[in-house]
Amino acid sequence: MSALECLLNPKKIAIIGASTNPLHAASRPLAYLEQHGYRGTIYPVNPRAKSINGTPCYPSVSALPETPDVAMVVLRHEYTLPAVRQLAEHGTPAAVILSGGYAESGTAGKARQKALVKAAGPMRLLGPNTVGLVNVTDNIPLSASGALATDDLLAGGVSLVSQSGGILGALLSRAKAKGIGLAKLIGTGNEADLGLTDCIEYLIDDPNTRVIILYIESIRNSTAFKKAALRAAEKGKPLVAFKVGQTEAGKHAAASHTGALVGEDALYDALFRQTRVIRVKKFAELLDTAGLLASQHHLNGKKIAILTSTGGAGALVTDSLNLHGFTTPAPDPTTNTKLLKTYQNVLTEIDTNPIDVTLAGLKPKLLREAAQTLLNSADYDALLTIVGSSSLQRPELINKALNGIKHPKPVIAYISPHAPHLVRTLNQQGIPSFTSPDTAASALRTLYDWTQWNAKQWQPKPTHTTPLPEYPAGQLDEQQAKQLFKRFGIQPVREIKITDVDNAAQVIQAAQAAQSLGNKVVVKVLSKQLLHKTEVGGVSIGIPPTEIPHHIKSMQTKIHRLAGFTPRQFLIQEMIENGIELILGFRRDPLGNAIMLGSGGTATELFQDTTIRLLPEYGKLSDSAARSMIYELKSRPLLEGFRGRPKADMNALVQTITAFSKMAVQLGDQLLNCEINPLFVLPQGQGVRAADGVVVLGG
């Protein structure tokens, strides 16, 4: 039996530190187990009490008559360590450690947590600093959360894994109020042992769990998380995540723009997108979205029928649906005829959507017939019914109309008045209900995206390697970086290198050769000491070749004044005038290695127009992944020929992105930081050019 199976389905539970004081939090676990009808054996351990509410107490772990399946330790942290050691010696498979004062509290707490894990030995731990867990399916609460004081729990198909104990209680109470049934709730706390991914893996195989909610503060093992998330998707179990907290972008910006543009939250976005985890940005959407997904319907298209008796609410819903990419077409002639037949004494014309039946048409039989007609129509993929204020006086109206409707297409309800009882009743009837038009539309969009994800099958392809020379640790200069790019098929701009500007003959020769690059060229300092050349006058654009010697001297003077040294090496480059500037970058992060594409040039950080993909475990990005990155850019219209501009070479850009990702895969841990900025995308058929590059390698 696995540790989580022991924790969620124990037959024998020991409560170490159970209190006789009903006002003390340590008294709650026993009280909740009894209140919710736990049928197994409970062993409270308290050396100062013979019994608690009629349940016999034991003075110590060693005095227990048999080994418990799970122990709840509700002692303060200074007493927890010896109790854990005794439980482990007694052969207890798993324990829940509720107390805080461990890794969350600083250096001393981290040491206590390490000692706790050592004392546990083979015994598995949930926590410390956790509120516990609740098996709603079988009425087994192993928690001290005040939310369990409710008389009954509503069982259903939504499970929760939360790194915050308070959120577990909040969602437990909110779900009951909304009529959304729950299966398993697990608070992982500090995750000294069992963590987020362990719980996901267990719930994927739980037959009572249809959807898994994740409340995430941080992902400690991204590799394990990716595997678990993809397995959940393959099993058809949606993960709905709310990630709390954002860190300031720019912590890793020392050597490139990429670090400043790829913040932690953006990396989580990429991680969730690529592992088919549904991320909601509003906490209020967590339960509503999970409730709809738990209905296990599929949404195969974007055409939504709206059935309403209130025009104002119909307009609100229509706007929200349209903003989320849905359409609301009017009924086709066949559907129109059937609706008019249903409402022959009420309506004379139905040529719009929302289908407004007016107050006169508010009869359960008529509403039911209309709903069935709209669901049967090939022109609609889902039905959204609007429950108006009339249902406050006649709650049976909508209940009778929708109760028992069986159809493969989703049926949801927007409750226009403030009517929590209607929300709860409809959710319990299997009609996902919402109190906000935007939340209803957002949840439908999530269902549509999930359906599309699961319709696509993909097979990873291995990355073939290219022999590479040995590179020294540290930062490559610009020319070395572009030579590395070229090995992977990324074409650099044409350029001439001046190795020593004190050699007048070499400078003159370079100026003469530069005439082959065009009437105007780009002059750049070549130095590993300058990470951002433009900021110290290290880049000059539009220089006639004849002025190169004079211009280099001016640049030397300026760079010496601003950067404190006089450069000796320069590059003379062709000037690209018909290309679109992008940035292509790589960043290493605990969540994974990220490839970033965005608007490039000197204003890169100003525009913040970027998209990110994490490198898959099996190798480089696919062509389809590269194309989707391009599609997500706000500046994409420029690439597609905005206002008569020539269309850019999108195919070459796709190949460049995949080649760049292949380079990152092949260099592996040696590659610390890398970017091409600017990357010029030329008109269709002319390819791309790498005009500048940064590469930082590790030892």
Side-chain angles (χ1 to χ4, degrees), residues 12-72:
K12 298 165 289 185
I13 301 170
I15 304 174
I16 316 302
S19 175
T20 58
N21 182 354
L23 300 179
H24 198 288
S27 71
R28 292 177 186 172
L30 175 59
Y32 291 156
L33 284 165
E34 293 174 341
Q35 178 184 341
H36 292 285
Y38 174 64
R39 297 180 180 180
T41 305
I42 307 173
Y43 296 120
V45 174
N46 185 330
R48 292 184 295 275
K50 293 192 177 294
S51 68
I52 300 176
N53 296 333
T55 301
C57 275
Y58 296 84
S60 66
V61 171
S62 59
L64 293 175
E66 56 183 337
T67 301
D69 297 319
V70 62
M72 292 188 71

Side-chain angles (χ1 to χ4, degrees), residues 649-668:
D649 199 333
M650 301 282 260
N651 289 334
L653 178 56
V654 167
Q655 295 308 311
T656 299
I657 296 168
T658 58
F660 186 82
S661 70
K662 178 181 178 181
M663 178 190 69
V665 170
Q666 188 161 336
L667 286 170

Side-chain angles (χ1 to χ4, degrees), residues 257 261 582-583 596 598-610 677:
H257 294 282
L261 292 168
L582 297 180
I583 179 173
M596 184 271 291
S599 298
T602 56
T604 290
E605 292 173 36
L606 175 64
F607 294 131
Q608 295 283 313
D609 177 22
T610 61
N677 183 30

Side-chain angles (χ1 to χ4, degrees), residues 252-261 531-532 586 605 673-675 694:
H252 305 279
S256 69
H257 294 282
T258 303
L261 292 168
L531 299 178
H532 302 297
F586 166 87
E605 292 173 36
N673 211 326
C674 180
E675 75 177 27
V694 172

Side-chain angles (χ1 to χ4, degrees), residues 273-330:
R273 184 192 303 115
Q274 289 173 247
T275 54
R276 300 187 176 184
V277 174
I278 298 157
R279 183 179 191 180
V280 296
K281 293 297 182 78
K282 298 177 182 176
F283 181 70
E285 294 178 354
L286 255 182
L287 277 173
D288 289 332
T289 301
L292 176 57
L293 289 165
S295 70
Q296 295 190 305
H297 282 96
H298 299 289
L299 183 53
N300 296 307
K302 296 182 178 180
K303 296 178 291 184
I304 312 298
I306 305 170
L307 185 61
T308 184
S309 62
T310 165
L316 284 173
V317 168
T318 301
D319 283 346
S320 292
L321 288 171
N322 290 338
L323 287 171
H324 284 82
F326 293 105
T327 61
T328 53

Side-chain angles (χ1 to χ4, degrees), residues 20 72 81-82 102 135 210 278 306 324 362 464 489 542 599 613:
T20 58
M72 292 188 71
L81 186 64
Y102 293 92
N135 178 348
R210 297 195 291 272
I278 298 157
I306 305 170
H324 284 82
L362 286 180
H464 299 292
S599 298
R613 292 292 184 277

Side-chain angles (χ1 to χ4, degrees), residues 15 147 180 221 274 338 386 613 641:
I15 304 174
I180 296 174
N221 186 334
Q274 289 173 247
K338 291 179 180 179
I386 297 177
R613 292 292 184 277

Side-chain angles (χ1 to χ4, degrees), residues 171-195:
L171 289 176
L172 180 63
S173 58
R174 286 168 185 250
K176 183 183 177 184
K178 286 176 174 283
I180 296 174
L182 302 173
K184 312 291 190 299
L185 298 95
I186 308 171
T188 59
N190 287 7
E191 300 187 358
D193 179 13
L194 295 169

